[in-house]
Amino acid sequence: MVKLNENYKKLKVNYLFADIAKRVKDFQAKNPSLGIIRMGIGDVTMPLALPVVSALKNASQEMGAKETFKGYGEYQGYPFLQQAIKDYYTEFGVDLSLNETFVSDGAKSDVANFAELFSEDNTAIIPDPVYPVYLDSNLMSGRNITLIDGNEKNGFLPLPYSGLKGGIIYLCSPNNPTGAVYTKAQLKLWVDFANKNGAVILFDSAYEAFVQNPELPRSIYEIEGAKTCAVEFCSFSKTAGFTGTRCGYTVVPNDLKISGESLNAMWLRRQATKFNGTAYIIQRGAEAVFSKEGQIAVKNTLNYYRENALIMAETLTKCGIWFTGGENSPYLWLKCGMDSWEFFDLLLNKINVVGTPGAGFGKCGEGYFRLTAFNTKENTIEAMKRLKSLLS
Amino acid sequence: MVKLNENYKKLKVNYLFADIAKRVKDFQAKNPSLGIIRMGIGDVTMPLALPVVSALKNASQEMGAKETFKGYGEYQGYPFLQQAIKDYYTEFGVDLSLNETFVSDGAKSDVANFAELFSEDNTAIIPDPVYPVYLDSNLMSGRNITLIDGNEKNGFLPLPYSGLKGGIIYLCSPNNPTGAVYTKAQLKLWVDFANKNGAVILFDSAYEAFVQNPELPRSIYEIEGAKTCAVEFCSFSKTAGFTGTRCGYTVVPNDLKISGESLNAMWLRRQATKFNGTAYIIQRGAEAVFSKEGQIAVKNTLNYYRENALIMAETLTKCGIWFTGGENSPYLWLKCGMDSWEFFDLLLNKINVVGTPGAGFGKCGEGYFRLTAFNTKENTIEAMKRLKSLLS
């Protein structure tokens, strides 16, 4: 008789966003005429930029002609995209080799799968609150987990402390769900901790493009020593609207070795066995994100979302509500003054606005609430108007 | 200090096709003027069909307009593609529910990841020779493995035997690398064995579209009892030339339960945590494969490859070489009468034809060699002409 992976029983039955979707669906079924504004799930609303669409169409055309057809690509991605990623990193003063970049079908897959390279007999250090994938993927593997608390006192940016133990450290900055961003000095504490203890940092930088303050790091490799202890996961999802187009990249430095073993070589072996590359068409679309025209279009979209975040931040400030995020992040994390699912139901029922209850991101998220800047400007203004009248 | 997954040390250092690529590259560097014909890796050469290209371009266009833009899709795939897959299965007399189909980025990812649902304390039953992913993914997880031998006597179609033990059974039919196809009666023995022993069959049907003989099964669900013991993995790669476009699908029947747990629900949980769906654009391309025009185009391409396989089969027969496959498969598996890497080097050096050494697929593959029908007709004819003159 086959034995099941019993670790699945440690998972909560429903996925956070499925819970939310159900409550919204039930509400809408009862109130079909009410216009719900969704500021919950971190999905984008602005279309792909025209240079990206052109690249996708051209690549599709190439796939239809024998002379330009592409079969299996490289496991790490096409060199044209690896080169564009490498060039992009020079903007932050980070120098990468081509073979240090791995093109993926999105940061989520890689960040969830990377820990396969490590024994299940490891402790994972995971911030609370945080993107549920780090916790769930480690629960599925049966690893020990040490949660490190985010709270008002540390601005939801937990730091290493004396006695903290664990081999795998998950960090996300700009953070999902709190929007808080580690400074270089704070990240240096983590890098030093990891190098000193032989730990590996899995750094999720999916929201780096939202950083506006030039003093804040957009890549962990801006921190001295990071190349010997950190892997970085990034995505085109939020930068270029690729949530439904699926492309990301992972950086595994050649200098990152554990007991003499190269994690870069191990990850390549993993990908060669369990992945077959990202579609050629999609990689051409991603390449266009980095073109001059692509970058102009992408920056316009980012500014559009940033303006939304600003509108939201101003409203919360006016209402005297404590929050993090917004300035260098598409997320705002506010103190709701009540149970977070209660606040969710209040907003849904009273002002027909959907957000994400903080409790869905961990026990320290209880009493907090996430709003996102990814809706349209019109909806953002309307939602904030409703919120203001509800709270005042 | 982080502990590595020591199971990686059990893997061979180089991946089969990387080894081949290196030998070919070295040979070509020394002999730049010689025209090498590649009949090794199972990659296709014919372009995507026009209806598929149109669908990809239309979907790309949709992604560029706010009104038609698509963000995150469903974890299991868009219902339009799930419906098309369900309809396709009715061709084999198999009735599926929509929620039993999971759209993936290719059969390889799913077939490599699916065993995550099972404890590492299981024995995997894996045919030898076989597609290396089954073995390597289980080695990476530290599972016990029982290899079941394919050979001339059983036509490279091993069957369950008295005393065989194991909870996870990998089957591939039409087989990669041998091209051999299980009959319904043979598959029934496996289904009965699995149901009797509470084992799960992971059935790789990536090459089902090549089956011409109406007596042979194209899906394991054509066998009575399979829905309580089998998961099926399929792909658009070989059917529709999607090796570089990346789309596949996995069927997990609702009736498949282990200790009362639904594998369908567990797989959905896994995908929701570690995967974010296949690109909308690609799913629209895959949908077009199933359209009336798409099916006509796909069948033309399949017939083109089948003609190549026929040319190869005729040559091998004329040369008096024992082989399997070819008629219902794009692969031909021939007895080479010497060490298989020796035969590889002989073909590369003497007639500049690249195939795949059987030893790369397991110890029972030693002395055999795989050729594929995916090259052009012209190259196939030329390669067979050269092979004939070498062997006679």
Side-chain angles (χ1 to χ4, degrees):
Chain A
M1 166 86 94
V2 68
K3 292 170 203 158
L4 290 179
N5 178 347
E6 296 291 333
N7 296 313
Y8 272 64
K9 294 190 176 152
K10 298 175 198 162
L11 298 165
K12 287 195 190 165
V13 174
N14 280 310
Y15 193 60
L16 173 62
F17 295 110
D19 274 351
I20 294 172
K22 194 183 172 308
R23 290 195 195 206
V24 174
K25 199 176 165 187
D26 290 349
F27 178 81
Q28 205 149 42
K30 281 180 210 153
N31 306 279
S33 65
L34 293 177
I36 291 175
I37 302 179
R38 288 160 198 271
M39 308 187 84
I41 196 166
D43 203 352
V44 298
T45 52
M46 295 288 279
L48 297 186
L50 289 186
V52 175
V53 173
S54 294
L56 291 167
K57 288 165 79 173
N58 289 341
S60 300
Q61 189 65 42
E62 281 183 66
M63 293 298 279
K66 206 164 179 171
E67 301 68 32
T68 48
F69 173 77
K70 300 281 186 300
Y72 290 118
E74 299 289 324
Y75 296 122
Q76 289 196 224
Y78 277 96
F80 63 76
L81 183 52
Q82 291 183 295
Q83 184 65 48
I85 294 165
K86 177 181 152 68
D87 292 346
Y88 182 64
Y89 268 88
T90 62
E91 283 185 28
F92 330 135
V94 174
D95 184 36
L96 298 177
S97 298
L98 276 200
N99 87 317
E100 293 178 313
T101 62
F102 292 76
V103 175
S104 71
D105 69 335
K108 183 184 182 183
S109 311
D110 279 16
V111 85
N113 291 324
F114 202 88
E116 286 181 26
L117 305 192
F118 309 119
S119 163
E120 289 167 9
D121 179 25
N122 272 299
T123 295
I125 296 173
I126 300 178
D128 177 348
V130 89
Y131 181 48
V133 166
Y134 316 147
L135 185 70
D136 286 353
S137 62
N138 278 285
L139 284 176
M140 283 174 171
S141 302
R143 286 201 188 81
N144 285 324
I145 291 160
T146 295
L147 294 173
I148 47 173
D149 291 356
N151 48 46
E152 271 185 70
K153 205 175 150 193
N154 61 24
F156 287 94
L157 293 166
L159 293 171
Y161 52 83
S162 166
L164 178 64
K165 283 193 174 17
I168 312 167
I169 301 163
Y170 289 82
L171 297 177
C172 178
S173 177
N175 190 267
N176 177 7
T178 71
V181 187
Y182 280 112
T183 64
K184 285 181 185 173
Q186 289 172 322
L187 275 191
K188 182 82 170 94
L189 294 175
W190 276 115
V191 166
D192 289 347
F193 174 85
N195 277 323
K196 192 178 159 197
N197 295 285
V200 173
I201 297 172
L202 301 185
F203 190 77
D204 185 343
S205 69
Y207 300 91
E208 60 79 19
F210 285 89
V211 172
Q212 301 188 80
N213 180 343
E215 295 300 310
L216 293 173
R218 291 172 59 184
S219 162
I220 196 165
Y221 304 117
E222 294 181 54
I223 312 304
E224 202 191 327
K227 281 192 177 177
T228 54
C229 68
V231 175
E232 184 159 288
F233 304 89
C234 202
S235 166
F236 296 92
S237 285
K238 307 303 160 67
T239 315
F242 269 48
T243 50
T245 304
R246 311 305 316 138
C247 197
Y249 47 96
T250 297
V251 177
V252 192
N254 290 321
D255 288 343
L256 179 46
K257 290 183 181 169
I258 304 295
S259 312
E261 296 287 330
S262 158
L263 288 193
N264 184 291
M266 283 181 77
W267 184 241
L268 175 56
R269 192 64 165 86
R270 192 273 173 202
Q271 292 297 78
T273 301
K274 299 191 177 184
F275 183 61
N276 233 336
T278 303
Y280 170 73
I281 297 166
I282 304 297
Q283 291 193 58
R284 280 293 184 199
E287 180 193 28
V289 170
F290 292 122
S291 67
K292 200 177 161 190
E293 300 74 20
Q295 283 292 296
I296 292 169
V298 157
K299 274 168 191 153
N300 285 342
T301 304
L302 286 172
N303 284 336
Y304 180 90
Y305 294 135
R306 281 175 183 142
E307 203 180 333
N308 289 345
L310 187 66
I311 293 164
M312 294 156 77
E314 281 173 354
T315 306
L316 295 177
T317 304
K318 273 184 197 157
C319 294
I321 296 171
W322 188 93
F323 69 98
T324 55
E327 195 184 339
N328 297 288
S329 155
Y331 295 129
L332 287 96
W333 178 252
L334 61 99
K335 192 173 178 177
C336 43
M338 65 180 85
D339 173 280
S340 67
W341 276 105
E342 197 184 323
F343 192 72
F344 174 90
D345 288 331
L346 179 76
L347 261 54
L348 177 59
N349 291 305
K350 297 287 179 190
I351 61 170
N352 316 135
V353 169
V354 177
T356 313
F361 299 101
K363 69 175 186 339
C364 295
E366 184 53 271
Y368 296 87
F369 201 74
R370 189 188 78 173
L371 292 174
T372 83
F374 291 126
N375 214 311
T376 60
K377 189 177 169 183
E378 299 70 35
N379 281 342
T380 304
I381 291 171
E382 174 61 22
M384 289 304 107
K385 204 177 100 189
R386 294 185 196 172
L387 186 70
K388 206 171 158 186
S389 75
L390 178 75
L391 297 178
S392 31
Chain B
M1 167 85 94
V2 68
K3 293 169 204 160
L4 291 178
N5 178 347
E6 296 291 332
N7 296 313
Y8 272 64
K9 295 193 175 149
K10 298 175 197 164
L11 299 166
K12 288 193 189 166
V13 174
N14 280 310
Y15 193 62
L16 172 63
F17 295 110
D19 275 351
I20 293 172
K22 194 184 174 305
R23 291 195 194 205
V24 173
K25 200 176 166 186
D26 291 349
F27 178 81
Q28 204 148 43
K30 281 180 209 151
N31 306 279
S33 66
L34 292 178
I36 292 175
I37 302 178
R38 289 160 198 273
M39 307 185 85
I41 195 165
D43 204 353
V44 297
T45 53
M46 295 287 278
L48 297 185
L50 290 185
V52 175
V53 173
S54 294
L56 291 167
K57 288 165 79 172
N58 289 342
S60 301
Q61 189 65 41
E62 280 184 68
M63 294 297 279
K66 206 163 180 174
E67 300 69 32
T68 48
F69 173 77
K70 300 280 185 301
Y72 291 118
E74 299 289 325
Y75 295 122
Q76 289 197 223
Y78 278 95
F80 63 76
L81 182 52
Q82 291 184 295
Q83 184 65 48
I85 293 164
K86 176 181 153 67
D87 293 345
Y88 182 64
Y89 268 87
T90 61
E91 285 185 25
F92 331 134
V94 174
D95 184 36
L96 298 178
S97 298
L98 276 200
N99 87 316
E100 295 179 313
T101 62
F102 292 75
V103 175
S104 71
D105 70 334
K108 183 183 180 182
S109 310
D110 280 15
V111 85
N113 291 325
F114 202 88
E116 287 181 24
L117 304 193
F118 309 118
S119 163
E120 289 167 8
D121 179 26
N122 273 299
T123 295
I125 296 173
I126 301 177
D128 178 349
V130 90
Y131 181 47
V133 166
Y134 316 147
L135 185 71
D136 287 353
S137 62
N138 278 286
L139 284 175
M140 285 174 170
S141 301
R143 286 201 188 80
N144 285 324
I145 291 160
T146 295
L147 294 172
I148 47 173
D149 292 356
N151 48 47
E152 271 184 71
K153 206 175 150 196
N154 61 24
F156 286 94
L157 293 166
L159 293 172
Y161 52 84
S162 166
L164 178 64
K165 283 196 176 12
I168 313 167
I169 302 162
Y170 289 83
L171 297 178
C172 179
S173 177
N175 189 267
N176 176 8
T178 71
V181 186
Y182 280 111
T183 64
K184 287 181 184 173
Q186 289 172 322
L187 275 191
K188 182 80 171 98
L189 295 175
W190 276 115
V191 166
D192 289 347
F193 174 85
N195 277 323
K196 192 178 157 194
N197 295 285
V200 172
I201 297 172
L202 302 184
F203 190 77
D204 185 345
S205 69
Y207 300 92
E208 59 79 20
F210 285 88
V211 172
Q212 301 187 83
N213 181 342
E215 295 299 310
L216 292 172
R218 290 173 62 184
S219 162
I220 196 164
Y221 304 118
E222 295 181 54
I223 312 304
E224 203 191 326
K227 281 191 176 177
T228 54
C229 68
V231 175
E232 184 159 287
F233 304 90
C234 201
S235 166
F236 296 93
S237 285
K238 307 304 159 68
T239 315
F242 269 49
T243 51
T245 304
R246 311 305 315 138
C247 196
Y249 47 95
T250 297
V251 177
V252 192
N254 290 322
D255 288 344
L256 179 46
K257 290 183 180 170
I258 303 294
S259 311
E261 296 287 330
S262 157
L263 288 193
N264 183 291
M266 284 181 76
W267 183 241
L268 175 57
R269 193 62 166 87
R270 191 273 172 201
Q271 292 298 78
T273 301
K274 300 191 177 184
F275 183 60
N276 233 337
T278 302
Y280 171 72
I281 298 166
I282 304 296
Q283 291 193 57
R284 281 293 184 199
E287 180 193 28
V289 170
F290 292 122
S291 68
K292 200 177 161 190
E293 300 73 22
Q295 284 292 296
I296 293 169
V298 156
K299 275 171 189 153
N300 286 340
T301 304
L302 287 172
N303 284 334
Y304 181 90
Y305 294 135
R306 282 176 181 141
E307 202 180 334
N308 289 346
L310 187 66
I311 293 164
M312 295 157 77
E314 281 173 357
T315 305
L316 295 176
T317 304
K318 273 184 196 155
C319 293
I321 295 171
W322 188 92
F323 69 98
T324 55
E327 195 184 338
N328 297 288
S329 156
Y331 295 130
L332 288 94
W333 178 252
L334 61 98
K335 192 172 177 176
C336 44
M338 64 180 84
D339 173 280
S340 67
W341 276 106
E342 196 184 324
F343 192 71
F344 174 90
D345 288 331
L346 179 77
L347 261 55
L348 178 60
N349 290 306
K350 296 289 179 190
I351 62 170
N352 317 135
V353 169
V354 177
T356 312
F361 298 101
K363 67 174 189 338
C364 295
E366 184 53 271
Y368 295 87
F369 200 75
R370 189 189 78 173
L371 292 174
T372 83
F374 291 125
N375 213 311
T376 61
K377 189 177 171 184
E378 300 70 36
N379 281 343
T380 304
I381 291 171
E382 174 61 23
M384 289 304 107
K385 204 178 102 188
R386 294 185 198 173
L387 185 70
K388 206 169 157 187
S389 75
L390 177 75
L391 296 178
S392 36

Short mmCIF file of all heavy atoms in Angstrom, two decimals, chain B residues 303-322:
data_model
loop_
_atom_site.label_atom_id
_atom_site.label_comp_id
_atom_site.label_asym_id
_atom_site.label_seq_id
_atom_site.Cartn_x
_atom_site.Cartn_y
_atom_site.Cartn_z
N ASN B 303 1.52 12.41 -39.21
CA ASN B 303 1.74 11.50 -40.34
C ASN B 303 3.12 11.70 -40.96
O ASN B 303 3.74 10.74 -41.42
CB ASN B 303 0.65 11.70 -41.40
CG ASN B 303 -0.66 11.04 -40.96
OD1 ASN B 303 -0.63 10.09 -40.16
ND2 ASN B 303 -1.78 11.55 -41.46
N TYR B 304 3.58 12.92 -40.95
CA TYR B 304 4.93 13.21 -41.45
C TYR B 304 5.97 12.44 -40.63
O TYR B 304 6.85 11.77 -41.17
CB TYR B 304 5.15 14.72 -41.37
CG TYR B 304 6.50 15.20 -41.87
CD1 TYR B 304 6.68 15.55 -43.20
CD2 TYR B 304 7.58 15.32 -40.99
CE1 TYR B 304 7.91 16.01 -43.64
CE2 TYR B 304 8.80 15.79 -41.43
CZ TYR B 304 8.97 16.13 -42.75
OH TYR B 304 10.19 16.59 -43.20
N TYR B 305 5.85 12.53 -39.29
CA TYR B 305 6.80 11.81 -38.43
C TYR B 305 6.63 10.29 -38.57
O TYR B 305 7.60 9.54 -38.52
CB TYR B 305 6.61 12.22 -36.96
CG TYR B 305 6.96 13.66 -36.65
CD1 TYR B 305 6.12 14.46 -35.86
CD2 TYR B 305 8.14 14.24 -37.12
CE1 TYR B 305 6.45 15.78 -35.55
CE2 TYR B 305 8.47 15.56 -36.82
CZ TYR B 305 7.61 16.33 -36.03
OH TYR B 305 7.93 17.62 -35.72
N ARG B 306 5.37 9.87 -38.72
CA ARG B 306 5.13 8.43 -38.88
C ARG B 306 5.80 7.88 -40.15
O ARG B 306 6.30 6.77 -40.16
CB ARG B 306 3.62 8.16 -38.96
CG ARG B 306 2.92 8.21 -37.61
CD ARG B 306 1.43 8.04 -37.81
NE ARG B 306 0.73 8.11 -36.54
CZ ARG B 306 -0.43 8.72 -36.35
NH1 ARG B 306 -1.05 9.30 -37.37
NH2 ARG B 306 -0.99 8.74 -35.17
N GLU B 307 5.78 8.69 -41.20
CA GLU B 307 6.42 8.27 -42.45
C GLU B 307 7.92 8.10 -42.22
O GLU B 307 8.54 7.15 -42.70
CB GLU B 307 6.14 9.31 -43.54
CG GLU B 307 6.28 8.75 -44.93
CD GLU B 307 6.00 9.80 -46.01
OE1 GLU B 307 5.25 10.77 -45.73
OE2 GLU B 307 6.55 9.66 -47.11
N ASN B 308 8.50 9.05 -41.44
CA ASN B 308 9.92 8.92 -41.09
C ASN B 308 10.17 7.61 -40.34
O ASN B 308 11.14 6.89 -40.62
CB ASN B 308 10.36 10.08 -40.20
CG ASN B 308 10.43 11.40 -40.97
OD1 ASN B 308 10.42 11.41 -42.19
ND2 ASN B 308 10.52 12.49 -40.22
N ALA B 309 9.30 7.32 -39.39
CA ALA B 309 9.46 6.10 -38.58
C ALA B 309 9.40 4.87 -39.48
O ALA B 309 10.16 3.91 -39.30
CB ALA B 309 8.39 6.04 -37.49
N LEU B 310 8.50 4.93 -40.47
CA LEU B 310 8.35 3.81 -41.41
C LEU B 310 9.63 3.61 -42.22
O LEU B 310 10.10 2.48 -42.41
CB LEU B 310 7.16 4.08 -42.32
CG LEU B 310 6.73 2.95 -43.26
CD1 LEU B 310 6.20 1.77 -42.44
CD2 LEU B 310 5.65 3.43 -44.23
N ILE B 311 10.20 4.72 -42.69
CA ILE B 311 11.46 4.67 -43.46
C ILE B 311 12.56 4.02 -42.62
O ILE B 311 13.33 3.17 -43.10
CB ILE B 311 11.88 6.11 -43.88
CG1 ILE B 311 10.89 6.68 -44.90
CG2 ILE B 311 13.31 6.13 -44.43
CD1 ILE B 311 11.00 8.19 -45.09
N MET B 312 12.60 4.39 -41.35
CA MET B 312 13.62 3.84 -40.45
C MET B 312 13.37 2.36 -40.18
O MET B 312 14.31 1.55 -40.19
CB MET B 312 13.61 4.63 -39.14
CG MET B 312 14.03 6.08 -39.32
SD MET B 312 13.41 7.17 -38.01
CE MET B 312 14.54 6.73 -36.71
N ALA B 313 12.10 2.03 -39.94
CA ALA B 313 11.76 0.63 -39.66
C ALA B 313 12.12 -0.26 -40.85
O ALA B 313 12.68 -1.35 -40.69
CB ALA B 313 10.27 0.51 -39.33
N GLU B 314 11.84 0.23 -42.05
CA GLU B 314 12.16 -0.55 -43.26
C GLU B 314 13.67 -0.78 -43.38
O GLU B 314 14.12 -1.87 -43.73
CB GLU B 314 11.64 0.18 -44.50
CG GLU B 314 10.14 -0.03 -44.71
CD GLU B 314 9.58 0.84 -45.86
OE1 GLU B 314 10.36 1.63 -46.44
OE2 GLU B 314 8.38 0.72 -46.14
N THR B 315 14.43 0.27 -43.09
CA THR B 315 15.89 0.15 -43.19
C THR B 315 16.41 -0.88 -42.19
O THR B 315 17.24 -1.74 -42.54
CB THR B 315 16.55 1.52 -42.90
OG1 THR B 315 16.00 2.48 -43.80
CG2 THR B 315 18.06 1.45 -43.07
N LEU B 316 15.94 -0.78 -40.95
CA LEU B 316 16.40 -1.71 -39.92
C LEU B 316 16.02 -3.15 -40.27
O LEU B 316 16.82 -4.08 -40.11
CB LEU B 316 15.84 -1.32 -38.54
CG LEU B 316 16.30 0.03 -37.99
CD1 LEU B 316 15.59 0.34 -36.66
CD2 LEU B 316 17.81 0.07 -37.79
N THR B 317 14.80 -3.32 -40.79
CA THR B 317 14.34 -4.66 -41.19
C THR B 317 15.25 -5.20 -42.30
O THR B 317 15.70 -6.34 -42.24
CB THR B 317 12.88 -4.60 -41.66
OG1 THR B 317 12.09 -4.03 -40.60
CG2 THR B 317 12.35 -5.98 -41.99
N LYS B 318 15.51 -4.36 -43.30
CA LYS B 318 16.37 -4.79 -44.41
C LYS B 318 17.77 -5.16 -43.93
O LYS B 318 18.41 -6.06 -44.47
CB LYS B 318 16.48 -3.66 -45.46
CG LYS B 318 15.36 -3.71 -46.48
CD LYS B 318 15.56 -2.64 -47.55
CE LYS B 318 14.27 -2.43 -48.33
NZ LYS B 318 14.20 -1.09 -48.94
N CYS B 319 18.26 -4.44 -42.91
CA CYS B 319 19.60 -4.71 -42.39
C CYS B 319 19.59 -5.89 -41.41
O CYS B 319 20.63 -6.27 -40.88
CB CYS B 319 20.16 -3.49 -41.68
SG CYS B 319 20.50 -2.11 -42.80
N GLY B 320 18.39 -6.44 -41.15
CA GLY B 320 18.30 -7.59 -40.24
C GLY B 320 18.56 -7.25 -38.79
O GLY B 320 19.04 -8.08 -38.02
N ILE B 321 18.24 -6.00 -38.43
CA ILE B 321 18.48 -5.56 -37.04
C ILE B 321 17.21 -5.69 -36.22
O ILE B 321 16.13 -5.24 -36.64
CB ILE B 321 18.97 -4.09 -37.03
CG1 ILE B 321 20.34 -4.02 -37.71
CG2 ILE B 321 19.04 -3.54 -35.61
CD1 ILE B 321 20.82 -2.62 -37.96
N TRP B 322 17.31 -6.27 -35.03
CA TRP B 322 16.17 -6.40 -34.12
C TRP B 322 15.81 -5.02 -33.55
O TRP B 322 16.69 -4.27 -33.13
CB TRP B 322 16.51 -7.36 -32.98
CG TRP B 322 15.32 -7.71 -32.10
CD1 TRP B 322 14.48 -8.77 -32.25
CD2 TRP B 322 14.86 -6.97 -30.96
NE1 TRP B 322 13.50 -8.73 -31.28
CE2 TRP B 322 13.71 -7.64 -30.47
CE3 TRP B 322 15.28 -5.81 -30.32
CZ2 TRP B 322 12.99 -7.20 -29.37
CZ3 TRP B 322 14.57 -5.36 -29.21
CH2 TRP B 322 13.44 -6.06 -28.74
#
